[in-house]
Amino acid sequence: MNALVALCHFCELHGPRTLFCTEAVHPPSPSPPQPGSAIPGDRDREADREGEGLTMRANSSATQRADMCEGCRSLPASHPGFVSVDSETGIRYLSHQHPRQPQLFSVVRQACVRSLSCEVCPGREGPIFFGDEQHGFVFSHTFFIKDSLARGFQRWYSIVVVAMDRIYLINSWPFLLRHLRQTIQSLQDTALKVFDNEQCVCPQRAVRMNSAFSPAVFPHQRSGNAARSLTSLTQHSNLWASLHSSFSWLLKACGSRLTEKLLEGAPTEDTLVLIERQTEQEEEMSGWDCAEGGGSNPQPSQSESVQPKDFQFDDGRQEDLLGPKFKSLRHLRQVLGANDFRQLAWHVLMGNQVIWRGADPGLIQSAFNVLKALLPVGCVRAVSYSPHYEEAYRCNFLGLSPDVPIPAHVSSSEFSMLVDVLNVERGCVNPVSDDDILSLYQFNISSANTQPTDKGPTLLNKIEVALSNENLSVEVVSLCLLCLKEEWMNKVKVLFKFSKVDGRGKEDTQKVLACA
Amino acid sequence: RGPIMLFHLFNFMTCVSLSFSWASSEFDLAQIRLIVCQECERRGRQVLFDSKAIHKLDASEPNPIVTNSSEKEKPPTYQYTRPASDVNMLGEMMFGSVSMSYKGSTLKIHHIRSPPQLMVSKVFSTRFGSSTSGSTNMYESCFLSSAICSHSNPVDMPSRGHSEDGDSGIARSASLSSLLATPLPSPGSSFSSGCASSYQRRWLRSQATSLQHGPMPRWNTEEMFSLSDESCSSNPAMIRRKKIAISIIISLPEREEENHNFQEFFFSHFPLFESHMNKLKTAIERAMIVCRRIAESSQRVQVYLCRVMEALGEFRMTVWNLYMAPLISEPVWLSMISQSTERNLLCQRFLKEMSLLMDHGAKSQFLSALLTAVLTHHLAWVPTVMPSSLPPIKTACQKPASQTVDLLAKSHPYNPLWAQLGDLYGALGSPVRVCRTVVVGCRRELVQRVLYILSYFIRCSDLQEHVQPQGQMENPDNPTNPCSSQTTDPTPEKTFPPKPDPLKPTACVIEKALNPESVPGTSVEQNNDTLLTDTKSTNPSSSLESSTVRLECAEMGQECFGEDSDSVGGGLEHILANQSPLLHRVQFHIGSPRETENEGQAGDLSGAGCGRGLDRKLHQRLLTDIRRNESTDSALGDSDDEETSLQELYMATEQKEYELPLPSYHVESRASVNHFGRSLLGGYCPQYMPDFALHGISSDLRLKQCLMSDLEHTVLHPALDEPVAEALCIVADTDRLSVQVVTSQRRVCEGGRLGRDVMVSNLVHTLITSALQLYALNIASDFCVMHLEDRLQELYFKSRSLAEYLRGQTRVHVKELGLALGIESSDIPLLAAVASTHSPFVAQILL
């Protein structure tokens, strides 16, 4: 809980004192706020001091060490205090006589003084909540502890829980009351036994009745009596260590009293596929360890090993290869021209095999990288550069070196297309900028497809609109693509569920498609 | 047709109208008592109002006071009797025995044991206008003796807003909402998780309420009690040291269980109670100001009593409603995420009800309009569709639970109840807006159907409670019991491993360490002495380790933050510096000149002295870019020697703490009962209620009377405990099949209507149509609901495109959006609102 707990005592000689304080120190924030964010309410020093009030100020000077007696002290000055660490969260619970965090010192002091000498509780024992924005908010429980030597045979204490979160502190009232009562009861019971024992040995009432009252002796006596510590009142030598444990526990338990169950959206299809792949890979890896010399080793250099982190573009490898590259779909479109791009994109979306043949593997790979964005991750099987033809069931993106022949069944198929990347003969040997791909290469597109590619699908039309609008940044285009892909994936899910799972007729399928 | 109708009705009864309410027995209105007291330096304490001492006079009795009988509706007349005997004691509790000079408002809660009562008090400093200062004596005089008080001061221009100049909503929202607006990273860029905005909101809350930053007055510190319409700023000398306390005393039920239930309800719903107390306070202020204008004394008393009694009546009614009103027994969303077994059934019911409603309001597109409004303003659905990077859990709506938020809650606790309240009111966007939905209609089952459907779209997180089981509370080894070993014989076998037992090794050794006499031969005592005089040459841990005490280095610099620092001071400083920019408040915090003197003389070893040294270092090293405060520098004292010696003392005393294990504890987890997801989704209620995120009523008569002032009040005193820029209410009329949005910002609407009609978003319309078509084609209902979620996710993706498109732009035409992104104008308000949850800058460009 974002709070601290302190045990306070109203010393007969020195007034209200903080005896023992347990605070929670949180680990550094997991997410530092962005620079430039300012928190309002820069505090006004004047207002701060004014808030202290006359009583407060008079008392705050009384923290002088010379002014302390046994009753005002918990741990000896040399004691280092206690710490407990919550290993799960890294929160450290620290106990000392006074709070370690300097900004909390006056807050606790205020709480202590108010709980023991300002606020009024009927019957003097019981819970009160009080506070304001300036001094923090306090749940206080006052109580008496028996002391055979004290005036009225009892001493007055309070346990305060201080927090800035007013609402949470009030929300926690029933919880805090329940548990602090337990703690207080335990202290009172223990002290009562000690009291009873002491009274048996030496009944104080009788002593006091018999001793002649003398004004000269009285104050001296009193001051001597005032010096009893809570440890001596309870005869509990580990009292402070135990209280540290109790208070730390209270802070932890109160902070985790309520938890939220907060749901996120389902992961995108792409994420799901990647999670699946990763699991498979991990399983395979462990499989390899067992099976020695398994027959056909997959070729990781060719098959795309996609990591969830960077599935959209695996820039890492692309950087390795020198030479010009396609930077984005829009760039590709500019280079190929609207018509050729349309054809190319059409084949990609239709799931046909797209073969690029040329001497520059870097260029071809960059083309595949940008084209991949058109498809769901699960639909991408790329062999970025191969010395021989690979069948369509193995890959829908295939890069080939210039001299690799395309089998006849492929070149005559309407389900494939070929982009030949040809070097442009040029006299000039000036280093050419990467942007200027056309000055280096020429692209020949061929396919046996006879269907018109300029009509649909709607998805492609929408993609083209986004790509052709120069006002849209690359980021906007990629988000638009994401929208479109998700939209279409959702349609596909419905269609799949409808036709495959439930096995319906064509008419109903049309209806479903109309509404999805 | 009859049987079918009956079947529908039966079905409906089982799923919808089994509403429940909190109280098992009647909650008596007279159990709520109001006392207004004042305290001033000269004359001490006076009672200005006590509802227990006021009696309503029967109208049939001849009334000597009110003579004007020509009025048609006579206000009730009241008589004041002797004040109750407990008033003095209560006054003492309200103000405390020592007067505080703090100027802002103070909140107090007392528990009175017999008769069992809870007392909530707010104590305000008073504020006078320059011309009417010093005249409060008229209230107590008119209240206490009805004596003629000649003072009367008519003020001509009563303007409510004017008297609140110090804390106008605008000033407030400018401060914190701008803070809330800036630090959001765009999701995906720095968060892999979809819950970026939920996470951010919660993180900011944990920071804003963190104790580690010290007290940070947020936004209602200057709240005062106005005794005049005028601003006091013209004559500050006239401010008197006078305080007014407003106390609400609630008698607790006699029966133990009811008492317990009410208290649990009261404390978990405190923000709502407080908000209504603020409303009451405003009414009392008004009553005092208004009655002062009346010259005739007996009439003045009546006006005063009448007004305050009326406000109290309203308060009582609201509290009663909050506690007694029927609630939706099975809110669809919360049920779906909590009960995995009945999910299919729930989906089925939900779709059935939705298709019935769709058919019912088909012509006017009632459902589409309503959902457009609800999805635009109750924005908590957005995080629930933002794609996660985690695989889904089959049992929970195919959605994964947020792990980042879970981790945050553990390491940086915030109030889950607060988060839930914000969710329900849809306060996720930027600037912060809060929204409620009221469904009006005389056909009960139709209204309930609408409520049921909306309980799917108005979302919030589900709360779990972790408490000690009853039996364990009494267990002597319970961690809350510090004297366990003293009170009972420790038994060797325990079912729970609770607190460290002093008889177990660690504690035992510590005992030795603490009492060196008991262990002859240890060097602890000497060691302590050495530490005091010379920190650097001593290694305390080595000698202590010899006695097997495990010493834990408390230097956070080394341990927690991986920073090698040579002193604890450095470590602490490092933490402070690492925490957040909130840090800079520290510099104004400690060390008034007087304190400096005192502590300098005393050579105190305590935190204050060290803090000051630290503070100074912070000031010098870290705060150069922060607004310098000259007085801070001078206040810190100018003796460097003093500083260094303090620093040394600090280092000397703050050594390494003894580490004790954190007591483990056994808790029982159960679904929380007292949370807003349960209490603010109302059923078909007898009366309009200002708190509910959703509820139904039969007539909008009272709604029309109260709504505008309720919305204004929400902006001024939001129950959310965070500044709010705008309060909205969606009013869905099932009789007229109309949906309107009422806002706190627009007072006048054309044709005397409450709000503006909602433009149906085409995206929302196709989304519902699509899901319902699938349902009509007999596709499994859980698939249809999943499809609905997919389509909602599409809305989120579209909002991201929109946000990205708007990034860096200043003005964008609607037409342009249509061309560039294919966004229709009807969808823009919705998409912009969704975008504002993850990209706050959208608000500045579009809204």
Side-chain angles (χ1 to χ4, degrees):
Chain A
M1 191 190 184
N2 217 327
L4 62 80
V5 191
L7 175 73
C8 309
H9 172 44
F10 193 94
C11 176
E12 283 176 21
L13 289 181
H14 304 109
R17 290 307 178 99
T18 314
L19 285 186
F20 189 74
C21 175
T22 304
E23 55 199 308
V25 179
H26 296 262
S29 307
S31 146
Q34 317 269 288
S37 70
I39 293 281
D42 272 350
R43 291 151 48 74
D44 188 276
R45 283 183 55 80
E46 212 46 49
D48 194 21
R49 259 186 289 155
E50 202 147 341
E52 292 279 313
L54 282 169
T55 334
M56 307 288 134
R57 213 167 302 161
N59 274 312
S60 74
S61 67
T63 34
Q64 295 175 9
R65 212 160 152 227
D67 255 13
M68 271 194 166
C69 61
E70 277 305 302
C72 305
R73 183 174 292 143
S74 54
L75 305 173
S78 57
H79 191 284
F82 299 104
V83 64
S84 291
V85 185
D86 184 350
S87 54
E88 191 192 4
T89 59
I91 298 174
R92 306 167 66 89
Y93 299 94
L94 297 171
S95 293
H96 299 90
Q97 171 142 14
H98 296 289
R100 272 279 302 267
Q101 298 172 74
Q103 72 274 23
L104 298 182
F105 185 84
S106 68
V107 172
V108 174
R109 177 85 197 125
Q110 268 271 342
C112 164
V113 172
R114 278 181 81 168
S115 105
L116 290 170
S117 51
C118 299
E119 301 304 330
V120 176
C121 177
R124 296 191 80 199
E125 282 187 303
I128 311 181
F129 171 91
F130 58 83
D132 53 65
E133 291 287 339
Q134 187 133 36
H135 305 101
F137 296 92
V138 183
F139 177 88
S140 143
H141 197 302
T142 43
F143 60 98
F144 288 111
I145 291 283
K146 279 287 179 191
D147 176 1
S148 59
L149 301 178
R151 183 195 309 179
F153 299 109
Q154 58 189 4
R155 290 169 178 282
W156 204 33
Y157 289 85
S158 74
I159 295 178
V160 293
V161 181
V162 186
M164 293 303 144
D165 192 340
R166 180 172 65 99
I167 304 292
Y168 194 61
L169 195 56
I170 294 174
N171 290 159
S172 307
W173 170 299
F175 178 91
L176 291 172
L177 183 58
R178 209 159 51 231
H179 290 97
L180 285 183
R181 263 194 189 146
Q182 190 98 12
T183 304
I184 290 165
Q185 190 69 49
S186 156
L187 290 171
Q188 286 177 328
D189 289 350
T190 315
L192 184 63
K193 278 181 197 157
V194 174
F195 175 82
D196 287 343
N197 278 337
E198 288 172 354
Q199 288 293 77
C200 281
V201 176
C202 169
Q204 279 292 318
R205 197 178 296 274
V207 172
R208 291 186 196 180
M209 300 276 270
N210 295 334
S211 67
F213 177 78
S214 129
V217 180
F218 186 72
H220 184 70
Q221 261 185 348
R222 288 250 68 85
S223 74
N225 294 348
R228 283 188 86 183
S229 69
L230 191 58
T231 319
S232 117
L233 294 181
T234 52
Q235 293 293 311
H236 186 343
S237 49
N238 291 325
L239 179 74
W240 303 115
S242 295
L243 265 184
H244 162 81
S245 292
S246 293
F247 287 174
S248 304
W249 179 88
L250 189 76
L251 285 173
K252 182 182 163 70
C254 193
S256 52
R257 184 174 61 88
L258 287 174
T259 54
E260 272 192 296
K261 183 174 173 186
L262 190 71
L263 295 189
E264 297 179 337
T268 59
E269 288 302 313
D270 283 1
T271 315
L272 277 178
V273 168
L274 291 164
I275 291 171
E276 231 165 74
R277 280 192 192 170
Q278 204 168 27
T279 329
E280 272 170 23
Q281 268 182 4
E282 277 159 17
E283 278 165 10
E284 261 178 58
M285 291 292 274
S286 56
W288 285 346
D289 293 341
C290 307
E292 282 174 296
S296 60
N297 252 356
Q299 290 159 296
S301 60
Q302 286 186 359
S303 68
E304 292 282 335
S305 59
V306 189
Q307 294 299 316
K309 287 167 204 156
D310 50 1
F311 62 88
Q312 288 274 357
F313 315 95
D314 34 359
D315 297 320
R317 267 197 292 157
Q318 203 181 320
E319 292 304 313
D320 299 344
L321 301 162
L322 297 168
K325 287 178 190 63
F326 293 109
K327 295 185 188 71
S328 64
L329 277 175
R330 183 178 282 161
H331 184 213
L332 180 63
R333 189 168 181 268
Q334 281 160 356
V335 171
L336 294 182
N339 283 336
D340 281 359
F341 177 82
R342 171 101 194 174
Q343 267 205 56
L344 177 62
W346 189 89
H347 282 279
V348 169
L349 287 175
M350 286 306 179
N352 296 340
Q353 189 176 42
V354 172
I355 305 164
W356 282 56
R357 191 163 58 178
D360 185 347
L363 181 76
I364 291 176
Q365 198 189 315
S366 73
F368 290 165
N369 276 338
V370 295
L371 283 171
K372 272 193 309 198
L374 292 171
L375 295 178
V377 179
C379 298
V380 175
R381 278 155 298 134
V383 174
S384 53
Y385 206 65
S386 166
H388 53 83
Y389 176 76
E390 296 277 358
E391 289 293 342
Y393 67 83
R394 283 215 55 195
C395 56
N396 52 352
F397 291 105
L398 175 62
L400 295 175
S401 19
D403 48 343
V404 179
I406 308 290
H409 73 275
V410 177
S411 51
S412 63
S413 163
E414 59 173 314
F415 300 116
S416 73
M417 80 165 304
L418 175 67
V419 180
D420 269 311
V421 186
L422 306 171
N423 288 327
V424 175
E425 298 299 330
R426 281 175 60 121
C428 155
V429 269
N430 285 343
V432 213
S433 77
D434 281 0
D435 296 329
D436 201 7
I437 294 177
L438 275 178
S439 63
L440 288 168
Y441 301 109
Q442 175 187 326
F443 300 89
N444 281 356
I445 287 185
S446 58
S447 171
N449 170 48
T450 50
Q451 286 189 49
T453 58
D454 55 341
K455 288 287 186 299
T458 325
L459 174 62
L460 181 53
N461 297 343
K462 286 184 177 170
I463 291 172
E464 286 237 88
V465 169
L467 288 175
S468 59
N469 185 350
E470 295 286 338
N471 287 334
L472 302 187
S473 67
V474 180
E475 288 76 27
V476 176
V477 171
S478 83
L479 278 169
C480 284
L481 268 180
L482 180 68
C483 280
L484 292 170
K485 270 200 294 185
E486 288 299 318
E487 215 172 282
W488 283 76
M489 284 303 289
N490 290 339
K491 285 181 202 290
V492 169
K493 273 194 237 172
V494 169
L495 187 63
F496 182 79
K497 171 84 180 170
F498 197 71
S499 60
K500 293 278 162 51
V501 179
D502 294 322
R504 315 268 185 134
K506 206 163 191 178
E507 200 179 309
D508 277 356
T509 311
Q510 287 300 323
K511 269 199 215 165
V512 165
L513 279 180
C515 73
Chain B
R1 194 166 159 77
I4 294 170
M5 279 297 287
L6 246 176
F7 171 76
H8 275 319
L9 197 65
F10 174 76
N11 247 307
F12 202 76
M13 296 289 281
T14 52
C15 68
V16 179
S17 55
L18 278 177
S19 47
F20 91 114
S21 85
W22 297 101
S24 48
S25 71
E26 285 285 296
F27 183 81
D28 185 5
L29 291 185
Q31 285 174 355
I32 298 176
R33 172 181 174 191
L34 169 69
I35 299 180
V36 183
C37 265
Q38 78 165 1
E39 185 184 64
C40 70
E41 282 167 356
R42 266 181 307 137
R43 286 171 304 141
R45 240 170 255 142
Q46 286 93 31
V47 182
L48 301 185
F49 188 91
D50 179 3
S51 63
K52 210 177 177 183
I54 289 178
H55 294 282
K56 201 171 178 175
L57 289 178
D58 200 326
S60 59
E61 281 177 35
N63 182 1
I65 299 167
V66 176
T67 48
N68 193 353
S69 56
S70 63
E71 276 178 42
K72 256 193 169 178
E73 264 189 53
K74 263 187 269 176
T77 45
Y78 293 99
Q79 194 178 34
Y80 179 76
T81 57
R82 289 179 58 81
S85 56
D86 56 355
V87 142
N88 280 340
M89 178 63 182
L90 296 175
E92 183 104 347
M93 286 155 66
M94 290 174 208
F95 292 103
S97 56
V98 177
S99 178
M100 305 291 289
S101 61
Y102 176 62
K103 275 195 294 233
S105 70
T106 304
L107 175 68
K108 291 181 194 180
I109 305 174
H110 287 83
H111 180 258
I112 301 162
R113 244 174 296 178
S114 111
Q117 297 168 95
L118 280 177
M119 178 165 94
V120 187
S121 319
K122 278 197 108 164
V123 185
F124 303 91
S125 298
T126 51
R127 173 159 66 192
F128 295 94
S130 50
S131 56
T132 55
S133 58
S135 62
T136 40
N137 56 338
M138 64 170 289
Y139 303 113
E140 79 251 20
S141 61
C142 77
F143 184 70
L144 293 171
S145 60
S146 304
I148 291 175
C149 176
S150 63
H151 192 102
S152 109
N153 196 337
V155 182
D156 280 326
M157 295 271 290
S159 95
R160 229 202 119 287
H162 193 48
S163 64
E164 298 268 335
D165 58 340
D167 50 9
S168 73
I170 301 151
R172 244 183 247 160
S173 54
S175 58
L176 200 72
S177 66
S178 64
L179 153 80
L180 291 166
T182 37
L184 265 166
S186 71
S189 64
S190 49
F191 286 90
S192 60
S193 158
C195 264
S197 62
S198 310
Y199 179 89
Q200 194 76 17
R201 221 176 110 233
R202 286 160 172 79
W203 182 83
L204 279 172
R205 180 68 181 180
S206 87
Q207 292 305 300
T209 58
S210 168
L211 193 58
Q212 270 168 293
H213 306 304
M216 179 166 64
R218 283 169 307 144
W219 48 280
N220 52 0
T221 44
E222 286 301 298
E223 198 179 29
M224 290 197 161
F225 195 95
S226 294
L227 289 164
S228 151
D229 268 356
E230 291 166 59
S231 164
C232 65
S233 56
S234 55
N235 194 351
M238 288 307 206
I239 299 172
R240 294 292 181 94
R241 293 217 159 202
K242 179 175 289 204
K243 302 226 168 190
I244 289 194
I246 294 177
S247 282
I248 284 291
I249 299 166
I250 303 174
S251 299
L252 295 168
E254 293 289 333
R255 278 181 48 214
E256 185 50 45
E257 195 194 338
E258 262 175 63
N259 184 345
H260 174 260
N261 287 347
F262 179 79
Q263 288 202 40
E264 291 280 340
F265 181 83
F266 173 82
F267 288 111
S268 57
H269 289 71
F270 182 78
L272 303 177
F273 282 85
E274 191 189 25
S275 165
H276 294 302
M277 263 189 88
N278 284 327
K279 206 178 202 172
L280 188 58
K281 174 237 177 188
T282 310
I284 295 167
E285 274 177 340
R286 291 302 303 160
M288 288 189 177
I289 291 166
V290 166
C291 83
R292 183 186 293 155
R293 295 179 208 151
I294 297 163
E296 205 274 304
S297 80
S298 62
Q299 214 177 344
R300 180 166 56 225
V301 173
Q302 279 306 310
V303 166
Y304 173 69
L305 294 183
C306 257
R307 282 191 163 241
V308 178
M309 280 308 279
E310 197 187 315
L312 176 61
E314 210 160 294
F315 179 86
R316 285 168 166 170
M317 191 52 78
T318 318
V319 170
W320 190 88
N321 278 337
L322 189 60
Y323 194 53
M324 301 293 284
L327 304 167
I328 301 175
S329 59
E330 211 172 51
V332 185
W333 173 255
L334 281 173
S335 306
M336 271 192 195
I337 64 174
S338 56
Q339 309 161 8
S340 53
T341 47
E342 288 177 44
R343 199 180 128 71
N344 261 325
L345 217 59
L346 268 166
C347 291
Q348 227 168 325
R349 280 178 191 165
F350 168 63
L351 288 164
K352 198 175 93 194
E353 297 299 334
M354 193 150 88
S355 60
L356 283 173
L357 184 64
M358 191 69 168
D359 294 345
H360 180 85
K363 247 192 238 164
S364 57
Q365 291 196 318
F366 174 71
L367 183 59
S368 304
L370 179 54
L371 285 186
T372 300
V374 165
L375 292 174
T376 305
H377 299 296
H378 291 275
L379 287 165
W381 63 272
V382 179
T384 67
V385 301
M386 283 160 96
S388 165
S389 54
L390 302 164
I393 311 159
K394 276 272 185 297
T395 51
C397 286
Q398 307 291 321
K399 286 163 182 283
S402 172
Q403 287 180 358
T404 43
V405 170
D406 193 47
L407 195 69
L408 177 80
K410 280 180 182 151
S411 61
H412 291 78
Y414 57 86
N415 186 354
L417 281 166
W418 167 87
Q420 213 190 23
L421 192 62
D423 279 358
L424 283 167
Y425 287 149
L428 282 83
S430 164
V432 180
R433 295 186 166 85
V434 291
C435 182
R436 300 180 282 128
T437 296
V438 183
V439 183
V440 189
C442 53
R443 286 178 59 188
R444 181 190 193 89
E445 78 283 5
L446 182 59
V447 172
Q448 284 182 324
R449 175 171 299 141
V450 176
L451 296 175
Y452 181 75
I453 292 162
L454 292 185
S455 74
Y456 179 73
F457 295 97
I458 298 178
R459 298 180 179 180
C460 67
S461 56
D462 195 20
L463 288 197
Q464 287 241 309
E465 204 177 354
H466 311 278
V467 289
Q468 281 192 312
Q470 265 307 312
Q472 211 202 336
M473 281 289 289
E474 281 74 50
N475 189 320
D477 263 358
N478 190 296
T480 54
N481 177 357
C483 305
S484 57
S485 61
Q486 304 274 316
T487 46
T488 53
D489 296 328
T491 40
E493 293 296 322
K494 290 278 191 289
T495 34
F496 310 111
K499 60 171 282 307
D501 194 314
L503 298 179
K504 284 173 191 157
T506 31
C508 248
V509 182
I510 285 159
E511 183 181 358
K512 288 173 195 164
L514 296 182
N515 306 305
E517 308 93 326
S518 66
V519 189
T522 46
S523 59
V524 177
E525 194 174 14
Q526 293 160 348
N527 185 38
N528 281 343
D529 291 340
T530 337
L531 270 171
L532 267 174
T533 49
D534 183 0
T535 12
K536 298 213 168 66
S537 61
T538 324
N539 184 356
S541 54
S542 60
S543 54
L544 281 169
E545 255 160 18
S546 63
S547 51
T548 70
V549 176
R550 192 176 153 225
L551 273 176
E552 169 77 11
C553 175
E555 287 182 24
M556 301 78 172
Q558 283 175 10
E559 291 248 340
C560 285
F561 310 109
E563 150 109 9
D564 194 8
S565 56
D566 58 345
S567 74
V568 179
L572 243 185
E573 189 174 39
H574 194 78
I575 301 168
L576 292 169
N578 263 344
Q579 283 307 314
S580 86
L582 304 187
L583 156 80
H584 62 259
R585 293 173 305 94
V586 174
Q587 71 168 315
F588 306 112
H589 180 57
I590 303 156
S592 63
R594 201 180 302 193
E595 275 179 55
T596 313
E597 272 171 37
N598 289 334
E599 277 147 19
Q601 290 164 8
D604 198 336
L605 303 179
S606 62
C610 322
R612 214 150 39 76
L614 197 104
D615 202 28
R616 182 184 172 83
K617 274 190 97 181
L618 279 175
H619 188 75
Q620 290 165 339
R621 264 220 251 143
L622 302 160
L623 308 172
T624 43
D625 53 340
I626 296 167
R627 183 164 62 88
R628 302 275 299 199
N629 185 330
E630 290 308 315
S631 64
T632 309
D633 273 330
S634 58
L636 284 166
D638 39 21
S639 158
D640 269 340
D641 295 341
E642 190 192 86
E643 286 303 326
T644 46
S645 67
L646 278 168
Q647 190 73 16
E648 270 170 23
L649 280 167
Y650 177 65
M651 282 150 54
T653 42
E654 306 296 343
Q655 316 144 2
K656 302 168 180 196
E657 288 93 350
Y658 295 110
E659 179 165 0
L660 298 172
L662 192 65
S664 58
Y665 64 105
H666 174 79
V667 287
E668 247 172 26
S669 298
R670 56 173 192 227
S672 168
V673 193
N674 283 292
H675 67 78
F676 295 116
R678 242 170 115 76
S679 57
L680 293 187
L681 297 175
Y684 194 60
C685 300
Q687 207 177 40
Y688 157 76
M689 319 251 273
D691 294 313
F692 283 13
L694 172 70
H695 76 297
I697 44 173
S698 60
S699 146
D700 62 358
L701 204 72
R702 203 174 146 72
L703 173 85
K704 278 180 171 156
Q705 285 170 6
C706 308
L707 188 54
M708 275 324 292
S709 66
D710 281 347
L711 291 177
E712 278 165 18
H713 173 76
T714 304
V715 172
L716 289 173
H717 302 282
L720 200 53
D721 196 40
E722 138 180 57
V724 159
E726 187 182 0
L728 301 139
C729 183
I730 300 168
V731 181
D733 191 322
T734 57
D735 297 338
R736 281 172 232 147
L737 293 176
S738 69
V739 182
Q740 295 187 0
V741 177
V742 192
T743 156
S744 59
Q745 288 184 345
R746 220 169 287 107
R747 262 193 155 268
V748 189
C749 268
E750 64 281 351
R753 294 197 310 173
L754 270 174
R756 288 199 312 184
D757 283 332
V758 174
M759 177 166 54
V760 175
S761 153
N762 194 42
L763 285 171
V764 173
H765 183 70
T766 52
L767 172 156
I768 311 165
T769 318
S770 164
L772 290 180
Q773 286 262 6
L774 294 180
Y775 174 68
L777 288 165
N778 283 326
I779 288 181
S781 45
D782 63 335
F783 182 85
C784 298
V785 170
M786 244 161 69
H787 179 69
L788 192 64
E789 290 300 301
D790 283 342
R791 299 298 292 260
L792 287 172
Q793 193 174 54
E794 282 179 24
L795 292 184
Y796 162 72
F797 284 129
K798 285 210 161 63
S799 80
R800 283 197 56 194
S801 304
L802 174 66
E804 193 56 48
Y805 183 72
L806 295 176
R807 192 186 291 278
Q809 308 220 30
T810 44
R811 253 176 96 193
V812 174
H813 281 283
V814 173
K815 224 187 216 169
E816 196 182 328
L817 290 173
L819 285 173
L821 301 169
I823 293 174
E824 290 178 31
S825 61
S826 68
D827 299 326
I828 287 174
L830 170 67
L831 292 180
V834 175
S836 81
T837 67
H838 51 77
S839 311
F841 59 84
V842 168
Q844 275 103 57
I845 302 164
L846 268 189
L847 302 177

